[in-house]
Amino acid sequence: QVQLVESGGDSVQAGGSLTLSCAASGYFYASYFMAWFRQAPGKEREGVATMHTDGTITYADSVKGRFTISRDSTKDTLYLQMNDLKPEDTAMYYCAADYSGLWLNPDYWGQGTQVTVSS
């Protein structure tokens, strides 16, 4: 049974920082592409940051320079460090795992963790 469990969401003021965690279990962690997505009310889910199995990283333009994705393979945990948060970053944040890396239909999703940024 594959599980992804996010944590770290909170309510913060604009300009603040948060670190989200995604604990993975039940599969060979290093074989999967990993990513963070987010979905704001009334909007479609969007990719925030992805990490290739070879360590290659991509970011959405809206978070470049502010967010950092990382993974600790010894703990099977994915992280998203978010700095200089803005009200438009308010969303439910999800981690996901995909074996193909195409992200057309990710294999696994976490339950999400809420981030709320007030101005």
Side-chain angles (χ1 to χ4, degrees):
Q1 182 75 16
V2 175
Q3 285 191 321
L4 300 174
V5 180
E6 302 98 332
S7 61
D10 205 345
S11 296
V12 297
Q13 295 282 333
S17 298
L18 284 174
T19 299
L20 306 183
S21 300
C22 173
S25 63
Y27 68 108
F28 188 45
Y29 179 74
S31 297
Y32 281 77
F33 294 74
M34 301 296 296
W36 287 97
F37 288 78
R38 66 185 181 186
Q39 188 167 21
K43 295 187 177 181
E44 293 187 355
R45 189 173 295 185
E46 63 172 349
V48 175
T50 64
M51 178 175 283
H52 193 284
T53 51
D54 68 2
T56 303
I57 290 171
T58 61
Y59 294 101
D61 288 342
S62 58
V63 306
K64 280 181 182 177
R66 300 188 298 121
F67 289 13
T68 302
I69 187 173
S70 63
R71 70 197 294 174
D72 183 341
S73 297
T74 64
K75 298 180 180 179
D76 287 350
T77 301
L78 184 75
Y79 301 98
L80 185 68
Q81 173 68 43
M82 306 185 293
N83 298 324
D84 189 23
L85 283 161
K86 303 177 180 181
E88 51 264 41
D89 294 320
T90 295
M92 185 72 79
Y93 283 72
Y94 301 88
C95 71
D98 189 50
Y99 190 78
S100 72
L102 297 177
W103 299 107
L104 297 176
N105 186 23
D107 297 301
Y108 303 106
W109 291 94
Q111 83 289 349
T113 187
Q114 178 68 39
V115 173
T116 303
V117 185
S118 57
S119 57

